[in-house]
Each structure stands twice: as structure tokens, then as C-alpha cells.
Amino acid sequence: MATYIVLLGPPGVGKGTQAENLAAQTGLIHISSGDLFRENIKNQTELGRLAKSFMDKGELVPDDVTVAMVKDRLARPDCKAGAILDGFPRTPVQAEALSRLLAGFKGDVNFVPFINADPRVLIERLSDRWICRTQGHIYNIKSNPPRVAGRCDLDGSELYQRDDDKAGTVTNRIKVYAEQTAPLIAYYRGQNKLVEIDGTQPIEKVTDALLSVIRKGQAGMSWSK
Ligand code: AMP
């Protein structure tokens, strides 16, 4: 049986970093809807142009476009064992669409770790965040700096700051999260899938907490690593 994990939490709480860590530990594929949009922007696709107009303002890309993009990604063979979803779903409409989609693969959302932190911490973290140009590896100049300033430890590529990590856009992203995504907390709690994790802990502690949630929840899960 495939395992699907939805990482829920406000922007900047560390979902991307934790998804990478979990992917490395479990062998499951990390799917970030934001990364998929950024990939489309880089490749100058029609979808990228549309997404950029929403992302630049810190608004959500429309549900139908987003669901279609994630659907395509989940249908690829490397997701056969499941996936770690980071940044998707972000609205109740997307959550319903995901559940129908996974039912089509004879699967379901198995775990929803909700990583949480105070908005003041998030704003500071986002302004300190640097991303690798080639593969999107994530750094924080204060809490998780690269070994060589401005260069990714893993692939040596240049680090940059996301346009939507700038102060004005960040405030709107947090507001959009509170209005449109936070209802998913109750939605998944109602399905008994939600586990809250303190996102202000050090990165490794959050990863340990996530792994223990998954291990406890699914003793029979087959780890490919
Ligand atoms: P992220 O990298 O997850 O912070 O996402 C960056 C931006 O991409 C968001 O602020 C949205 O504009 C867009 N985005 C990412 N995921 C979604 C989604 N599931 N639904 C709608 N918009 C999204």
C-alpha cells in the first residue's frame, strides 16, 4: 500500500526542509507544489506565466490549475510507493480533490503532520531564507547556513532569495494561509489524521518527531531506505 503524507503548516515553518529530510529517510518522493510552479516559471511555460501572476502577490494559484498539476505529478511511476506532499492541498477544494485522486490509486492520505509556529517567528525565518538555484535546497543564514556563503552545499549552485519571501508579500501569504488553508486543520483533525508538531524546535528534533509519528502510525510501512 502506498503512503501519502500531507505536511500542513504556515509559510516558513520548515515544510520544505522537513519534506527533504523525510524523503531521504523513507525513500518517498517529495512533491512541492511551489517548486513545481517555480520550475514552470523557470521554463517559461504557460502555466508558469499564470502561476507567477498569483505568486508575486502572495495569492493562491486557482484550484483547478493546481490540482491538475499535482495530479500529473502523482501519476508518475516514481510515486508508486506514495509521496510527501508539501504545500498541497492548501484549500478544502484541493483536499477533496486529493482524496478523490488518491482513491483512484486505491490510496488515501495516511498522515497529516501539522507543523506550527508563531507568525512572528515565520516572518523572520522567511527573510533569512536562501534557496539553491538548481534544485531548490533550502538554507537559513542564521540557523542553517551553507558551508560556503552563497553556494549550495549539495550541488554548489548559487543561492538566491525568493521574490515572495520579501516582507510585503510574506504578510499576505500568512494572511492567505490563515483564511484559506487553516480550515484544513479541522478537516484532517476530523479524519483523525492530524498530529501537531512544534515547528520552533531545531530542525533535527522536528524530523525526529515526524519520523516517530509515521513509524507509530504505520508499523507495517515498507521503508525503501
Ligand atoms: P510555497 O513554495 O509552498 O511557499 O508556494 C509558493 C507560492 O506558490 C504560493 O504563495 C502560491 O502562490 C503558490 N502555490 C503553491 N502551492 C499552492 C497550492 N497548493 N495552491 C495554490 N497556490 C499554490
Side-chain angles (χ1 to χ4, degrees):
M1 257 270 273
T3 303
Y4 297 97
I5 301 169
V6 166
L7 288 186
L8 203 59
V13 81
K15 297 188 296 297
T17 302
Q18 294 302 333
E20 278 177 23
N21 290 354
L22 280 188
Q25 296 280 335
T26 63
L28 292 173
I29 294 292
H30 167 200
I31 299 181
S32 153
S33 42
D35 282 353
L36 293 175
F37 285 130
R38 280 184 287 277
E39 195 64 33
N40 274 278
I41 293 174
K42 195 160 90 183
N43 295 334
Q44 302 187 345
T45 67
E46 199 53 48
L47 172 62
R49 265 187 292 278
L50 174 82
K52 189 170 183 340
S53 63
F54 292 93
M55 290 168 81
D56 282 350
K57 292 179 283 192
E59 300 289 336
L60 295 187
V61 180
D63 285 332
D64 53 344
V65 180
T66 306
V67 168
M69 177 182 73
V70 174
K71 183 176 174 187
D72 275 1
R73 182 65 191 88
L74 277 170
R76 294 205 344 225
D78 60 351
C79 295
K80 231 177 164 165
I84 301 159
L85 290 163
D86 150 24
F88 181 91
R90 249 179 166 97
T91 64
V93 170
Q94 292 181 14
E96 290 290 340
L98 176 65
S99 135
R100 280 193 301 275
L101 183 64
L102 296 185
F105 300 147
K106 308 249 174 309
D108 194 7
V109 171
N110 300 94
F111 308 101
V112 185
F114 165 43
I115 313 175
N116 202 8
D118 186 284
R120 277 167 304 191
V121 177
L122 304 173
I123 291 171
E124 191 179 328
R125 275 200 198 166
L126 287 170
S127 68
D128 292 339
R129 176 158 83 171
W130 288 76
I131 318 277
C132 118
R133 182 83 64 198
T134 331
Q135 295 190 68
H137 299 123
I138 304 162
Y139 297 88
N140 180 294
I141 43 165
K142 288 194 190 131
S143 60
N144 180 31
R147 281 193 295 269
V148 177
R151 290 277 152 205
C152 177
D153 291 351
L154 300 170
D155 59 31
S157 72
E158 181 201 16
L159 301 183
Y160 75 103
Q161 279 199 291
R162 277 170 45 177
D163 284 344
D164 63 347
D165 280 349
K166 304 210 166 109
T169 319
V170 163
T171 317
N172 195 40
R173 283 166 63 203
I174 292 174
K175 180 167 163 271
V176 166
Y177 165 80
E179 288 170 0
Q180 301 191 52
T181 307
L184 295 183
I185 300 166
Y187 175 86
Y188 284 120
R189 187 175 280 134
Q191 297 184 3
N192 250 332
K193 292 175 179 167
L194 196 92
V195 185
E196 186 159 356
I197 291 173
D198 174 7
T200 60
Q201 304 175 89
I203 293 175
E204 312 74 56
K205 286 253 183 300
V206 176
T207 308
D208 287 348
L210 286 164
L211 285 170
S212 110
V213 165
I214 298 167
R215 289 203 170 103
K216 261 192 223 133
Q218 201 177 35
M221 178 175 167
S222 53
W223 304 88
S224 69
K225 288 204 170 169

